[in-house]
Amino acid sequence: EDGTVRAWGMSSSMAGFGTEVTTQTVPAGLNNVAFVAAGRYHCIAGRQDGSVVCWGKNFSGQCSVPAGLTGVVAAAGGSAQTVALKGDGSLVGWGSDWVSRPPPSALPAVKLVACSQHSGTVALDLAGTPIAWGSSTDLVKTSLPSDLTGLTQLALGDDHGVAIRTCLARRRSRSRRRAQPRRAGLDVRP
């Protein structure tokens, strides 16, 4: 309820490479957090005011948030990149994977973005069609099925992805029967 953050697990930058710890050091004063995300060796927190804070191993600039970045509503982290989704559907990225493997130049507005741990990035356009980019050998990019449409959720692992398609669940109302959208197992009521 207070928007504070807790982090735990292996830390490659705060407690020494490969050292397992039960908690990680979260930046002092980090509060009013609306969302969190994790990259391979770094953490990302988005504040309610649309700003972003990153911490952890910064070997490729993945924790170097661009100055003046605002309006962020979600983010994703990979091995050597961080990608922020702004409220207008645009993406802002930083880190070596973003610089060396940028998104397509005609990238439309997107509603979701995910990063793999091996240089792959997938975004969902507003219709739910995935758009992938990254290394030409990244399995997330090269094995993306061509018939995927209408996706509402997406997550990437090291070399794999998983997605949810929109589905319609039927329910009865007292006055009439109508289809209601269901997303990620939750009933979305008007």
Side-chain angles (χ1 to χ4, degrees), residues 175-190:
S175 61
R176 65 184 181 271
R177 187 178 178 150
R178 62 184 174 167
Q180 292 293 316
R182 290 180 61 85
R183 293 196 181 128
L186 302 174
D187 192 6
V188 179
R189 300 177 193 268

Side-chain angles (χ1 to χ4, degrees), residues 137-152:
T137 60
D138 183 81
L139 291 176
V140 168
K141 177 184 172 189
T142 59
S143 65
L144 183 70
S146 61
D147 64 344
L148 287 180
T149 58
L151 302 180
T152 58

Side-chain angles (χ1 to χ4, degrees), residues 26-33 47:
V26 175
L30 181 59
N31 55 24
N32 297 319
V33 173
R47 290 188 165 135

Side-chain angles (χ1 to χ4, degrees), residues 35 46-47 49-52 69-75 84-87 94:
F35 67 84
R47 290 188 165 135
D49 66 2
S51 63
V52 175
L69 179 62
T70 61
V72 177
V73 297
L85 172 61
K86 297 183 71 170
W94 55 95

